[in-house]
Amino acid sequence: MNTIIYRNIALALFIGAFYTISAQSLDLSTDEADTDATETTEQVKVGSEKRSAQMNVRNLIKEGNKLYHDKRYSEAEVCYNKALEINPNSAVAQFNLASTLMQNNGNSDPTAESSPINQAERILQSLVKTAGDEASIVEKSFYNIGNIAFNRQQYAESIELYKNALRKNPDNDKARENLRLAQLKMQNQDQNQNQDQQQDQDQQEQQDQQQQQQNQDQQQDKNQQNQNKNQEQQQNQQQQMSDANAERILKAMENAEAATRRKVEAQKAKEQQSNSRYTTKPW
């Protein structure tokens, strides 16, 4: 009788809240629930109080599972938290709570520290370290963390997490399928990054060429302006020289005309003096 009671108390139900990843996007529907009783390594101490507490944990987990399958995630979360208040070390309650948080993420900010998805990730990361004897929970925790990384497009990280899940259970076909998909996504991501880098390089080269052409055009404009300025200065100098020459020529002509006029006047004066010597006084 004690053996039967012990075995029944040691049984716990846990659900598989895993994302199914399609070739194009993430399908946020859950897998079929694992409603079969799965024996865990939780130990039950002798005593009615301990047995009663353990039964309460098992019942709360069972109730939470039913609410989970009815997609009443907030209510399921309450049940799992109550189970953890009684037994904080229940790996099954922790895992189911994390699964519920993943489904209950909604439109919350994924970058917020307190977002449900980040809370779930912390729980699952703790489970892979502390639930070492419960291979199934560790396997599924690796798988779910891999899906979280996949959602964030952290494909390299998700690949390692799926591999860890397969190391715990080589028959996990979903982990193998998601591993291949993550590898393809990573390959496409690398190709896109290379293309973006090439486009950036081509764009930079084009900008450099445009800048070089602009500099050449500016230099040509500057040279043309200098040439025009020099031509203008030369024309001004030539004009100034022409004006000076014209002034000198005009001055020379005026001087020559004045000299001629003086000569004519001197000649007239000389002739008048000569005529006055030969003129007699009238009678």
Side-chain angles (χ1 to χ4, degrees), residues 18-127:
F18 316 126
Y19 295 165
T20 301
I21 304 175
S22 63
Q24 281 124 14
S25 62
L26 290 174
D27 179 7
L28 299 182
S29 62
T30 60
D31 294 342
E32 293 184 0
D34 182 6
T35 55
D36 295 332
T38 302
E39 186 172 357
T40 70
T41 58
E42 295 177 9
Q43 301 298 318
V44 179
K45 296 182 180 180
V46 179
S48 60
E49 184 178 350
K50 292 294 183 181
R51 285 198 298 270
S52 176
Q54 195 67 19
M55 286 293 292
N56 287 337
V57 170
R58 187 168 69 97
N59 289 335
L60 285 168
I61 291 175
K62 186 176 180 179
E63 182 181 355
N65 291 352
K66 184 178 183 303
L67 292 168
Y68 181 95
H69 292 304
D70 292 339
K71 298 184 179 181
R72 295 161 64 180
Y73 301 121
S74 295
E75 296 175 67
E77 182 179 337
V78 172
C79 288
Y80 297 137
N81 277 321
K82 286 182 178 179
L84 288 170
E85 288 177 2
I86 300 172
N87 181 10
N89 297 322
S90 172
V92 174
Q94 291 180 49
F95 177 83
N96 288 0
L97 174 61
S99 300
T100 304
L101 288 168
M102 291 176 68
Q103 294 294 346
N104 208 25
N105 189 47
N107 296 323
S108 62
D109 182 5
T111 61
E113 188 71 15
S114 59
S115 68
I117 198 69
N118 288 331
Q119 293 181 48
E121 184 181 24
R122 288 192 291 270
I123 294 172
L124 294 171
Q125 288 175 342
S126 175
L127 280 173

Side-chain angles (χ1 to χ4, degrees), residues 233-247:
Q233 289 177 349
Q234 291 177 357
Q235 289 175 356
N236 291 336
Q237 290 176 356
Q238 290 175 356
Q239 184 65 36
Q240 290 174 358
M241 292 175 63
S242 298
D243 294 343
N245 289 337
E247 186 175 356

Side-chain angles (χ1 to χ4, degrees), residues 244-278:
N245 289 337
E247 186 175 356
R248 284 195 296 272
I249 293 171
L250 180 60
K251 188 67 175 177
M253 291 175 63
E254 289 176 352
N255 292 336
E257 183 178 354
T260 301
R261 188 169 51 253
R262 286 194 298 272
K263 288 181 180 180
V264 171
E265 290 176 353
Q267 184 65 31
K268 287 181 179 180
K270 185 176 180 180
E271 289 177 356
Q272 288 177 356
Q273 290 177 359
S274 176
N275 290 335
S276 63
R277 286 198 301 266
Y278 295 105

Side-chain angles (χ1 to χ4, degrees), residues 151-165:
N151 267 326
R152 295 171 178 166
Q153 298 184 358
Q154 298 171 344
Y155 300 122
E157 182 178 347
S158 68
I159 287 171
E160 293 305 314
L161 289 163
Y162 291 138
K163 287 180 179 180
N164 286 337

